[in-house]
Coordinates of all heavy atoms in Angstrom, one line a residue:
F904 N 12.8 1.9 -20.4 CA 11.3 1.7 -20.3 C 10.6 2.4 -21.5 O 11.1 3.3 -22.1 CB 10.8 2.5 -19.1 CG 11.5 2.1 -17.8 CD1 12.4 2.9 -17.2 CD2 11.1 1.0 -17.1 CE1 13.0 2.6 -16.0 CE2 11.7 0.6 -15.9 CZ 12.6 1.5 -15.4
D905 N 9.4 1.9 -21.8 CA 8.5 2.6 -22.6 C 7.8 3.6 -21.6 O 7.5 3.1 -20.5 CB 7.4 1.7 -23.3 CG 8.0 0.9 -24.4 OD1 9.1 1.2 -24.9 OD2 7.4 -0.2 -24.7
L906 N 7.6 4.8 -22.0 CA 7.2 5.8 -21.1 C 5.7 6.3 -21.3 O 5.4 6.6 -22.5 CB 8.1 7.1 -21.2 CG 9.6 6.8 -21.0 CD1 10.4 8.0 -21.4 CD2 9.9 6.3 -19.6
H907 N 4.9 6.2 -20.3 CA 3.5 6.5 -20.4 C 3.1 7.6 -19.4 O 3.6 7.6 -18.2 CB 2.6 5.3 -20.1 CG 3.0 4.2 -21.0 ND1 2.4 4.0 -22.3 CD2 3.9 3.1 -20.9 CE1 3.0 2.9 -22.8 NE2 3.8 2.4 -22.0
F908 N 2.3 8.5 -19.8 CA 1.9 9.7 -19.1 C 0.4 9.7 -18.9 O -0.4 9.6 -19.9 CB 2.3 11.0 -19.8 CG 2.0 12.3 -19.1 CD1 2.9 12.9 -18.3 CD2 0.8 12.9 -19.4 CE1 2.7 14.1 -17.7 CE2 0.5 14.1 -18.7 CZ 1.4 14.7 -17.9
L909 N -0.1 9.9 -17.6 CA -1.5 10.0 -17.4 C -1.8 11.3 -16.6 O -1.2 11.6 -15.6 CB -2.0 8.8 -16.5 CG -3.4 8.9 -16.0 CD1 -4.4 8.8 -17.2 CD2 -3.7 7.9 -14.9
D910 N -2.6 12.2 -17.3 CA -3.1 13.4 -16.6 C -4.2 12.9 -15.8 O -5.4 12.7 -16.3 CB -3.5 14.4 -17.7 CG -4.2 15.6 -17.1 OD1 -4.6 15.6 -15.9 OD2 -4.3 16.6 -17.8
L911 N -4.0 12.7 -14.5 CA -5.0 12.1 -13.7 C -6.2 13.0 -13.4 O -7.3 12.5 -13.1 CB -4.4 11.5 -12.4 CG -3.9 12.4 -11.3 CD1 -5.0 12.8 -10.3 CD2 -2.8 11.7 -10.6
L912 N -6.1 14.3 -13.5 CA -7.2 15.1 -13.3 C -8.2 15.0 -14.5 O -9.4 15.0 -14.3 CB -6.8 16.6 -13.1 CG -6.0 16.9 -11.9 CD1 -5.6 18.3 -11.8 CD2 -6.8 16.4 -10.6
A913 N -7.7 14.8 -15.7 CA -8.5 14.7 -16.9 C -9.0 13.2 -17.0 O -10.0 13.0 -17.7 CB -7.7 15.0 -18.1
H914 N -8.3 12.3 -16.4 CA -8.7 10.9 -16.6 C -8.7 10.1 -15.2 O -8.0 9.1 -15.1 CB -7.7 10.2 -17.6 CG -7.6 10.9 -18.9 ND1 -8.6 10.7 -19.8 CD2 -6.7 11.7 -19.4 CE1 -8.3 11.4 -20.9 NE2 -7.1 12.0 -20.7
R915 N -9.4 10.7 -14.3 CA -9.4 10.1 -12.9 C -9.9 8.6 -12.9 O -9.3 7.8 -12.2 CB -10.3 10.9 -12.0 CG -10.3 10.4 -10.6 CD -8.9 10.4 -10.0 NE -8.8 9.6 -8.7 CZ -8.3 10.1 -7.6 NH1 -7.8 11.3 -7.6 NH2 -8.3 9.4 -6.6
P916 N -10.9 8.2 -13.7 CA -11.3 6.8 -13.8 C -10.1 5.9 -14.2 O -10.0 4.8 -13.7 CB -12.5 6.7 -14.7 CG -13.0 8.1 -14.7 CD -11.9 9.0 -14.5
L917 N -9.3 6.4 -15.1 CA -8.1 5.5 -15.6 C -7.1 5.4 -14.5 O -6.5 4.4 -14.3 CB -7.5 6.2 -16.8 CG -8.3 6.0 -18.1 CD1 -7.6 6.7 -19.3 CD2 -8.4 4.5 -18.5
S918 N -6.9 6.5 -13.7 CA -6.0 6.4 -12.6 C -6.5 5.3 -11.6 O -5.7 4.5 -11.1 CB -5.9 7.8 -11.9 OG -5.1 7.7 -10.8
N919 N -7.8 5.3 -11.3 CA -8.4 4.3 -10.4 C -8.2 2.9 -11.0 O -7.9 1.9 -10.3 CB -9.8 4.6 -10.2 CG -10.0 5.9 -9.4 OD1 -9.1 6.3 -8.7 ND2 -11.2 6.4 -9.5
Q920 N -8.4 2.8 -12.3 CA -8.2 1.5 -13.0 C -6.8 1.0 -12.9 O -6.5 -0.2 -12.6 CB -8.6 1.6 -14.5 CG -8.4 0.3 -15.3 CD -8.6 0.4 -16.8 OE1 -9.2 1.4 -17.3 NE2 -8.0 -0.5 -17.5
I921 N -5.8 1.9 -13.1 CA -4.4 1.5 -13.0 C -4.1 1.0 -11.6 O -3.4 0.0 -11.4 CB -3.5 2.7 -13.4 CG1 -3.6 2.9 -14.9 CG2 -2.1 2.5 -13.0 CD1 -3.0 4.2 -15.4
A922 N -4.6 1.8 -10.6 CA -4.4 1.4 -9.2 C -4.9 -0.1 -8.9 O -4.3 -0.9 -8.3 CB -5.0 2.4 -8.2
A923 N -6.1 -0.3 -9.4 CA -6.8 -1.6 -9.3 C -6.1 -2.7 -10.1 O -5.8 -3.8 -9.6 CB -8.2 -1.6 -9.6
D924 N -5.8 -2.4 -11.4 CA -5.2 -3.4 -12.2 C -3.8 -3.9 -11.8 O -3.4 -5.0 -11.9 CB -5.0 -2.9 -13.7 CG -6.4 -2.8 -14.4 OD1 -7.4 -3.2 -13.9 OD2 -6.3 -2.4 -15.6
F925 N -3.1 -2.9 -11.2 CA -1.7 -3.2 -10.8 C -1.5 -3.3 -9.3 O -0.4 -3.4 -8.8 CB -0.7 -2.2 -11.4 CG -0.8 -2.3 -12.9 CD1 -1.3 -1.2 -13.6 CD2 -0.4 -3.4 -13.6 CE1 -1.4 -1.2 -15.0 CE2 -0.5 -3.4 -15.0 CZ -1.0 -2.3 -15.7
S926 N -2.6 -3.3 -8.5 CA -2.6 -3.5 -7.1 C -1.7 -2.6 -6.4 O -0.8 -3.0 -5.6 CB -2.2 -5.0 -6.7 OG -3.2 -5.9 -7.3
V927 N -1.8 -1.3 -6.7 CA -1.0 -0.2 -6.0 C -2.0 0.8 -5.4 O -3.1 1.0 -6.0 CB 0.0 0.5 -7.0 CG1 1.0 -0.5 -7.5 CG2 -0.7 1.1 -8.1
V928 N -1.6 1.3 -4.3 CA -2.4 2.4 -3.7 C -2.2 3.7 -4.5 O -1.0 4.0 -4.9 CB -1.9 2.6 -2.3 CG1 -2.6 3.8 -1.6 CG2 -2.1 1.3 -1.4
H929 N -3.3 4.3 -4.9 CA -3.2 5.6 -5.6 C -2.4 6.6 -4.9 O -2.6 6.8 -3.7 CB -4.6 6.1 -5.9 CG -4.6 7.5 -6.4 ND1 -4.2 7.9 -7.7 CD2 -4.8 8.7 -5.7 CE1 -4.3 9.2 -7.8 NE2 -4.6 9.7 -6.6
A930 N -1.5 7.3 -5.6 CA -0.8 8.5 -5.1 C -0.7 9.5 -6.3 O -0.8 9.1 -7.4 CB 0.5 8.1 -4.6
S931 N -0.3 10.7 -5.9 CA -0.1 11.7 -7.0 C 0.9 12.7 -6.4 O 0.7 13.3 -5.4 CB -1.4 12.4 -7.3 OG -1.2 13.5 -8.1
P932 N 2.0 12.9 -7.2 CA 2.4 12.2 -8.4 C 2.8 10.7 -8.0 O 3.1 10.4 -6.9 CB 3.5 13.0 -8.9 CG 4.2 13.6 -7.7 CD 3.0 13.8 -6.8
Q933 N 2.8 9.9 -9.1 CA 3.2 8.5 -8.9 C 3.9 7.9 -10.1 O 3.5 8.2 -11.2 CB 2.0 7.7 -8.5 CG 2.2 6.3 -8.2 CD 1.0 5.6 -7.7 OE1 -0.1 5.8 -8.2 NE2 1.1 4.7 -6.7
V934 N 4.9 7.1 -9.9 CA 5.5 6.4 -11.0 C 5.3 4.9 -10.7 O 5.4 4.5 -9.5 CB 7.0 6.6 -11.0 CG1 7.7 5.6 -11.9 CG2 7.3 8.0 -11.5
I935 N 4.9 4.2 -11.7 CA 4.6 2.7 -11.6 C 5.4 2.0 -12.7 O 5.3 2.4 -13.8 CB 3.1 2.4 -11.7 CG1 2.3 3.1 -10.6 CG2 2.9 0.8 -11.5 CD1 0.8 3.1 -10.8
V936 N 6.2 1.0 -12.4 CA 6.9 0.2 -13.4 C 6.1 -1.1 -13.5 O 5.8 -1.7 -12.5 CB 8.4 0.0 -13.0 CG1 9.0 -1.0 -14.0 CG2 9.1 1.3 -13.0
V937 N 5.8 -1.5 -14.7 CA 5.0 -2.7 -15.0 C 5.9 -3.6 -15.8 O 6.4 -3.2 -16.9 CB 3.7 -2.3 -15.8 CG1 2.9 -3.6 -16.1 CG2 2.9 -1.4 -15.0
E938 N 6.0 -4.8 -15.3 CA 6.8 -5.9 -16.0 C 6.0 -7.1 -16.0 O 5.4 -7.5 -14.9 CB 8.2 -6.1 -15.4 CG 9.0 -4.8 -15.5 CD 10.4 -5.0 -14.8 OE1 11.3 -5.5 -15.5 OE2 10.5 -4.8 -13.6

């Protein structure tokens, strides 16, 4: 994989965007694989 790190406390709107864009329920910590 290419590895991506999101500090969700610093970037909470991006965490919400990722949940919406990839149709996953937000969790923390969370790993999401995108293909």
